[in-house]
Amino acid sequence: MSDINVALPVVIMDDFVVFPETVIHFDIRGRFNLAAVELALAANKPVVLMSKNYDPDSGEDVIGTLAEVRQLLKVSSHVMRVMLYGKERVMIDSFKTGDKICSAKVSPLVHDDDSNDEEGKMEEDVIIRLLKEVFEEYDRSCVNVNDKVLLKIKKCNDLDNLIDIIASNINLDYEEKYKLLVIIDPKERCRYLMDRLSYEINLAGMRDEYRNKFKAAVDNNQKEYYLREQLKVIREELGDSDTGSEADEYIEKCNALNASEEVKEKILEEIRRFKMVSANSSESSVIRTYIETLLGLPWDNESEDNNDIENAGKVLEKNHYGLTKVKERILEYLAVRQLAGKGDVPIICLVGPPGTGKTSIAKSVAESLGKKYIRICLGGVRDEAEIRGHRKTYVGAMPGRIIMALKKAKTGNPLILLDEIDKVSNDYKGDTFSALLEVLDPEQNEFFTDHYVEVPVDLSKVLFICTANTTSTIPGPLLDRMEIIEVSGYTENEKYHIAKKHLVSKQKKKNGIGTSELKISDSAIRSMITGYTREAGVRSLERTIARICRKAAKQIVSGEKEKVSVTGKNIEEYLGKVKYEIDYVGKNAQVGVVRGLAWTSVGGDTLEIEVNIMPGKGELLITGKLGDVMKESASAAVTYVRSLSERYNIADDYYSKHDIHIHVPEGAVPKDGPSAGITMATAVLSAVTDHPVKAEVAMTGEVTLRGRVLPIGGLKEKLLAACNAGIKTVIVPERNRKTISELEEEVTGGLNIVYADSMEEVARQAIVWR
């Protein structure tokens, strides 16, 4: 302290004490005090704060506080508002009263510190913890201290500073606070402070006890009994005697309800209203329905989850064949949810074609976790009230589907499947997708408010799984809140195993056919997959098996056959002629004919693109019911080929004297997308140069005007279609190499996959140059 042994200005404190490490604002009066703070601020000196009870003739040691003047504001000619920061306790060595100010010389206080040794440090830590505990009890019982102060006290680990902070923030009179200032030894000061805190805590307890006794002095029981008897007589006269018994029943249920006080208070408030209205009024029915809805919700009731990941894996494996990556992702999700706790994991959204097992996966997850399973179909939902509910003031109002699902589940942590979330629509009644944002946002759904219920409901314990066929119709903000898991179409081999292990036995049981009464051979199952169904999933396959079971059941019941055997040779007797034929690859290379690969909602397909050149005026004809994107790809392909005229020795006036016709067969089927770009470019180049294209080659990829090959999607389905058509070589974009590497061997096996990043490479691999 550099100001020791220097005369410092003195401020005499009348009715409060400033402790070290504290900041205080107060109004200062008196000529000497005003002059002292003005001098201290101007000279950048501290001031000495002394008690009004100072007696220089007493011979006792005098303790004061050395403080820094941080701010000074003139309120009037005789009053100033000052902000002081207490720095430390000091001993007053000498005091002098001058003409304008009082001054004093001070010296620092020294006390024995035994906290340096290990035992002393341990003792000080115990005292600090005990003091904090006593203060917390004081805060709860007597006065609510500012949160910032509480945080400061919590973080403080110095006994001296902790005592001063607490002392400056509790309700003690001047004499008690001054005593806390002048006690030098921290431990003795702490004992005195804890005595005062304990006294205040006991005083507060006695005050509350007497207050309750005085309130209980009024005989509420007699008053309530008298009023109830009067109300009972009135209701009997009006014919509403049943309302009272119903209300009593509701009160009993409310008291037994496992819910927060806020919920119970809301229910009791509605019960009081219910008692006051006539049983014959429409309002009585509205209130009754509302009360029963609130009493029927699970609130804080939860079922116990089965967190055994191995069990979940076994259930998924038992109920689903294939889908290895999907199962792995589901198990990862469950493991993370188990570790992270409620609602801290994104919502799962299973995206894939129809019939690929998205809904059944959700059922299996619920089964493996031991959760209640509730399905909500959102297809065609266009009213926001379907999600959030109607205001209960409307006639026929009811809660939204989420609340109704919880009521049906009777537990606060079920698995809710939001099926077909991509088919939600909007109209003038509100934005349904925006209503789903709150439901599926882990940061918000802890306090989901239904318009009908009007009380926040905790959805953070609910495991939401959504399903969709595509993400293109789902808004970005909602998509961002969900964890997307792709459920792609099944391979033929996967369909075969699914049918053999699951579908055949399921349909036999459903149609009442014994295990030995109907035999469906492996060849029959494969014939159904290739010749009677064309889909990414297995829904049509299951219907086809059901059709065979029904015909077999008829033969068995009529006595025509005792046992039915369906094979690849006699399957037409049960299903009729083959519906679908695979467009197998041709044997001979042709000019202007190239086989492309396409993705559809029911899986992959192959399509031949044909190009004819004929004399004309340079027109470009594009047919086959193509979309705008595919037409643009055709134009880009023609432009690219025209730019190669000099390389392939094509006359300058060739394109002005010839018409180019690009056609994609199956003209009744709409087609679109950029992935046929390199196919059309290869077909045009073949037709213009009169060189044939290899028959066993298929390709897919987007083309640019400069001949670059860009990546595309749906490769798994496209490669499966190529395998089925007997294609040996498939040309794909170089930038899809990573996607190909992640596919199963079952998909890529037997195919020679060629990667190309330019049309030059495509032409070199596909065209037979003579």
Side-chain angles (χ1 to χ4, degrees), residues 267-281:
I267 296 174
L268 292 173
E269 180 185 340
E270 292 298 323
I271 293 173
R272 286 192 288 270
R273 288 184 58 220
F274 179 66
K275 288 181 179 179
M276 301 303 296
V277 299
S278 170
N280 299 321
S281 67

Side-chain angles (χ1 to χ4, degrees), residues 609-613 618-623 626 630-645 648 650 654-656 658-663 676-688 703-707 759:
I609 293 180
E610 302 173 344
V611 175
N612 267 355
I613 305 292
E619 293 183 359
L620 173 63
L621 283 81
I622 304 173
T623 57
L626 309 185
M630 203 164 182
K631 288 179 180 178
E632 290 170 1
S633 294
S635 299
V638 171
T639 302
Y640 167 71
V641 174
R642 290 185 65 174
S643 69
L644 303 177
S645 298
Y648 293 105
I650 300 171
Y654 178 87
Y655 294 101
S656 61
H658 293 82
D659 292 343
I660 301 175
H661 187 169
I662 301 175
H663 177 67
I678 65 171
T679 313
M680 289 188 283
T682 305
V684 172
L685 181 61
S686 168
V688 170
V703 70
T704 69
L705 287 175
R706 299 303 179 95
M759 272 303 302

